[in-house]
Amino acid sequence: MTDRNAQAGAFGWDFQSNLALYFASKDLKSLSRVKVEGPTEDIELFYEDGRRTFIQAKSQLEPYNSSNTNSHLKNALKTLIDATSKTDYSVLYYGSNISNPFVFKEFGGLFGVGATDYSFNELPPKIKAKIEKYVHEVSISENLSLDKFDYNRLRITTLPFFGDDDETRYRVIKQRVENLLDSLGLKSPQINSIFTHYQLLFTQNSSKKINIYKKDFAWPIIVYSLDTTSDEFYEEFNLDVSEEDAIESIYTGFIEKKTLEFTLFNEVSNHFLDFTESKSYQNKRNAAREFIDKHCLYYSRKIFYGKLDDMSEPVTQLILWRIIKKIKVIKRLNKEVGL
């Protein structure tokens, strides 16, 4: 029994963290911060326009088993009601992986297939009556005030979240994140790395009980925005095999370090912005290449402290190429999601 309880606890923690990631990814442009295991609710989302969303997350290892479903619903409503008396709110959510969260066979088709999101007013009368009954019962048994509890701001969401296979368990959450990252022009290998990073971010921060801010979503996108290979660069600058081999075998770590060096990144970013805004290029599509050709020697001297050799130029070219790629990603981040 202990192992089973521990497994259920770990599963519940996993669901809660991933549900938070799912909600944060839905409206990242408006999001200010998100907290998992917050002082008021399991998941708390705060938006830049002042909206506040509070979510009670309830999960079952076996989503088709209804033995604890009613108690999950009642406990969730109790906590949501209590939250309304402690703080202002915009929306209250009961979030679950349970395939039939109200245990009515005739309404099983409303839930359990894909992600669902219903307002209280959209639910069938029989389900609404059950919610109202439970709200009344827990308000009396727990001595909770209903003065600020508003059914019009209550929503129910369900996600298919079960199974030992990661692709199966996380498919809906991953699809939500993929939709966000796809709008930024990222590719599948990059998306997979960023999704894994986000899951780790939410799991770790929920245990530490600290806020995750919108900016925390940005840096992983910037870091993973470049392909692991540099084939496009090699073709563009027509490097010979010996130069490619030297970059891959000797300079990889150095290039990564310099690409992420804030002082250099900031200088190149401002310099390239001035270059493009002043239209100093001959061809807008080739602006990056023209900038690198024009300023490579200047940056080579900075990067290698004036000690230049045969590899200084191609290494500097790649560093500038990668920084400019990241600058373009940042611009898309700002446009699409306000990061």
Side-chain angles (χ1 to χ4, degrees):
M1 181 62 71
T2 302
D3 290 342
R4 183 69 175 177
N5 290 338
Q7 186 182 11
F11 181 85
W13 190 264
D14 191 24
F15 175 72
Q16 183 172 295
S17 300
N18 277 276
L19 183 64
L21 173 56
Y22 175 84
F23 269 92
S25 302
K26 284 179 70 174
D27 190 12
L28 186 58
K29 191 167 187 175
S30 301
L31 186 70
S32 173
R33 59 187 173 92
V34 58
K35 180 72 193 76
V36 184
E37 203 63 30
T40 303
E41 281 299 348
D42 290 339
I43 303 167
E44 302 175 359
L45 298 110
F46 300 86
Y47 295 91
E48 292 177 346
D49 61 3
R51 287 178 294 132
R52 296 180 175 189
T53 295
F54 297 109
I55 304 169
Q56 256 293 302
K58 298 295 183 184
S59 61
Q60 295 179 178
L61 270 171
E62 299 173 356
Y64 297 100
N65 187 329
S66 61
S67 58
N68 294 315
T69 299
N70 287 330
S71 62
H72 283 321
L73 175 61
K74 187 173 288 190
N75 288 333
L77 290 170
K78 177 181 70 175
T79 309
L80 290 171
I81 294 167
D82 188 43
T84 65
S85 64
K86 295 178 179 178
T87 184
D88 294 332
Y89 68 98
S90 303
V91 184
L92 301 174
Y93 267 98
Y94 172 45
S96 178
N97 77 323
I98 302 172
S99 60
N100 190 354
F102 300 101
V103 202
F104 290 127
K105 290 183 179 180
E106 63 266 40
F107 302 125
L110 288 177
F111 310 96
V113 178
T116 66
D117 188 339
Y118 297 110
S119 69
F120 172 81
N121 293 320
E122 291 176 303
L123 297 171
K126 194 172 181 179
I127 293 179
K128 289 196 288 187
K130 184 169 188 174
I131 292 174
E132 290 170 339
K133 176 176 178 287
Y134 281 4
V135 166
H136 177 70
E137 288 177 355
V138 298
S139 67
I140 294 175
S141 63
E142 302 295 329
N143 194 28
L144 298 174
S145 171
L146 296 176
D147 289 348
K148 296 183 179 180
F149 182 78
D150 185 359
Y151 286 105
N152 293 318
R153 288 185 276 173
L154 175 64
R155 300 189 69 89
I156 310 297
T157 194
T158 62
L159 300 180
F161 187 93
F162 57 94
D164 293 330
D165 177 69
D166 286 352
E167 289 294 324
T168 300
R169 179 183 292 193
Y170 304 125
R171 66 188 187 277
V172 174
I173 297 93
K174 188 175 182 181
Q175 183 60 59
R176 174 65 67 182
V177 174
E178 283 179 349
N179 291 342
L180 167 66
L181 299 178
D182 184 64
S183 69
L184 301 174
L186 299 180
K187 300 175 183 177
S188 183
Q190 301 162 334
I191 290 174
N192 290 336
S193 297
I194 295 169
F195 177 68
T196 300
H197 183 98
Y198 284 168
Q199 283 191 305
L200 187 62
L201 173 70
F202 272 77
T203 301
Q204 289 180 338
N205 279 319
S206 60
S207 64
K208 297 175 183 177
K209 298 188 177 183
I210 62 176
N211 290 298
I212 301 172
Y213 290 89
K214 183 161 65 172
K215 63 181 176 61
D216 295 321
F217 285 84
W219 193 242
I221 295 174
I222 296 169
V223 170
Y224 291 111
S225 62
L226 298 180
D227 294 328
T228 55
T229 63
S230 301
D231 293 346
E232 183 183 358
F233 166 79
Y234 295 146
E235 292 177 7
E236 176 68 27
F237 287 85
N238 196 28
L239 300 191
D240 60 41
V241 175
S242 63
E243 289 173 321
E244 291 184 24
D245 289 344
I247 286 175
E248 297 291 343
S249 61
I250 301 172
Y251 289 96
T252 299
F254 178 78
I255 290 168
E256 285 296 324
K257 179 182 177 182
K258 287 295 180 181
T259 302
L260 298 174
E261 189 176 282
F262 177 78
T263 303
L264 179 62
F265 186 95
N266 196 45
E267 181 178 355
V268 174
S269 180
N270 291 327
H271 198 176
F272 183 67
L273 181 63
D274 291 340
F275 181 81
T276 54
E277 287 187 345
S278 63
K279 298 184 178 179
S280 301
Y281 47 79
Q282 296 295 318
N283 185 326
K284 186 175 182 179
R285 292 180 62 86
N286 297 327
R289 174 63 191 266
E290 291 182 33
F291 174 86
I292 293 170
D293 288 343
K294 185 174 182 178
H295 300 290
C296 184
L297 180 59
Y298 167 78
Y299 284 106
S300 289
R301 288 170 176 163
K302 288 182 71 73
I303 291 169
F304 290 95
Y305 304 102
K307 299 177 181 180
L308 307 182
D309 58 25
D310 292 342
M311 287 303 299
S312 299
E313 181 178 1
V315 169
T316 301
Q317 288 172 333
L318 181 52
I319 291 171
L320 295 177
W321 176 268
R322 290 192 169 190
I323 289 176
I324 291 171
K325 284 271 191 175
K326 291 182 185 295
I327 292 168
K328 292 178 179 179
V329 170
I330 291 172
K331 285 184 176 181
R332 289 200 298 269
L333 279 170
N334 185 49
K335 179 181 178 181
E336 298 293 335
V337 291
L339 286 168

